[in-house]
Amino acid sequence: QVKAQKQHSRKVVWQREDVRAFLNTAFSNFEWRNAGLIVNMAYEWGQRLGDMRTLTWDSYNLETGVLTLTQSKRGAKITVPTSTGLQAMLAQQHVDFGWQQYIAPVPKTVKGKLLPYSLNKLSKLGTTIMAESDLPEELTLMDLRRTAITEMVEVGVPVSSIMAMSGHATPSSLTPYIQHTLRGASTAQMMRDFPPDLML
């Protein structure tokens, strides 16, 4: 008759300035550049780091900037667009790394090949970059997907659109991402005071 403890879901999210500081630091050092790109893709596309670190060029359309991915955790297939900034970055990345299959591998060859980051190696490098960026110690790279989805919830993106991007199967699976934040409350207040139909 052992009573199991209730597991509390992690609620930590990054601030926009934290993401910007991390990326600026990562892109300032060639050895950290691909780790920075993995973080950039995970944040912009709202995907898991595990899928981004093993992402291959055949999943991304260089001409249209569309990512087509079957997520490793639940097998959900998602198709998402890319901002012009990230699209330009990936075009340059293809010039530098397009001769092999991985979009953002470890930039050191092993027996003539480039290999993807392991989660452990990416985590350690991320910790180093975060320390160099003077970011709060409570942040982890694993919080980036939560951050991206929380930001979409805060600005009132329809649940169906969030699910199409994140790969969640049901609206209830987004519950952990719905948090009480000032930004979310401000959006709710604005939408209440200025409904979309009155702004047309």
Side-chain angles (χ1 to χ4, degrees):
Q1 298 183 0
V2 175
K3 190 174 183 179
Q5 284 187 325
K6 186 176 181 180
Q7 186 175 8
H8 298 285
S9 58
R10 185 171 169 83
K11 298 289 187 181
V12 177
V13 295
W14 291 51
Q15 299 301 311
R16 285 285 179 91
E17 55 268 26
D18 295 334
V19 178
R20 193 174 297 114
F22 181 96
L23 294 178
N24 286 340
T25 301
F27 293 142
S28 69
N29 185 327
F30 181 79
E31 292 187 2
W32 297 348
R33 166 181 153 183
N34 285 2
L37 183 56
I38 290 171
V39 167
N40 198 345
M41 294 187 297
Y43 174 66
E44 176 163 325
W45 289 329
Q47 302 302 310
R48 297 179 182 87
L49 288 170
D51 287 330
M52 296 298 95
R53 68 182 176 81
T54 59
L55 194 63
T56 53
W57 288 111
D58 58 4
S59 298
Y60 177 74
N61 189 313
L62 283 162
E63 293 184 4
T64 64
V66 171
L67 171 73
T68 302
L69 173 71
T70 299
Q71 297 176 333
S72 59
K73 188 172 183 179
R74 292 190 177 90
K77 186 174 182 178
I78 55 100
T79 304
V80 295
T82 305
S83 68
T84 54
L86 180 55
Q87 194 169 354
M89 193 178 301
L90 287 170
Q92 181 59 51
Q93 184 75 357
H94 191 263
V95 172
D96 298 335
F97 292 93
W99 55 272
Q100 51 78 62
Q101 62 176 325
Y102 298 106
I103 291 181
V106 178
K108 291 182 180 179
T109 58
V110 178
K111 296 182 179 180
K113 295 182 179 181
L114 293 180
L115 302 175
Y117 281 92
S118 66
L119 280 176
N120 185 51
K121 186 177 182 69
L122 182 62
S123 178
K124 287 183 177 180
L125 182 54
T127 299
T128 299
I129 297 172
M130 284 189 280
E132 190 72 18
S133 307
D134 293 322
L135 296 180
E137 293 184 1
E138 67 174 345
L139 298 179
T140 71
L141 295 184
M142 302 299 286
D143 297 326
L144 286 162
R145 175 171 161 86
R146 180 185 311 106
T147 298
I149 296 173
T150 298
E151 287 179 350
M152 287 187 276
V153 171
E154 286 180 330
V155 297
V157 176
V159 170
S160 58
S161 297
I162 297 176
M163 290 170 59
M165 187 169 187
S166 68
H168 285 90
T170 63
S172 62
S173 59
L174 287 174
T175 300
Y177 300 99
I178 301 176
Q179 301 185 44
H180 304 299
T181 64
L182 176 59
R183 187 181 182 196
S186 299
T187 299
Q189 184 180 49
M190 182 182 69
M191 293 179 73
R192 182 192 65 188
D193 294 341
F194 303 99
D197 57 333
L198 295 182
M199 297 174 68
L200 296 177

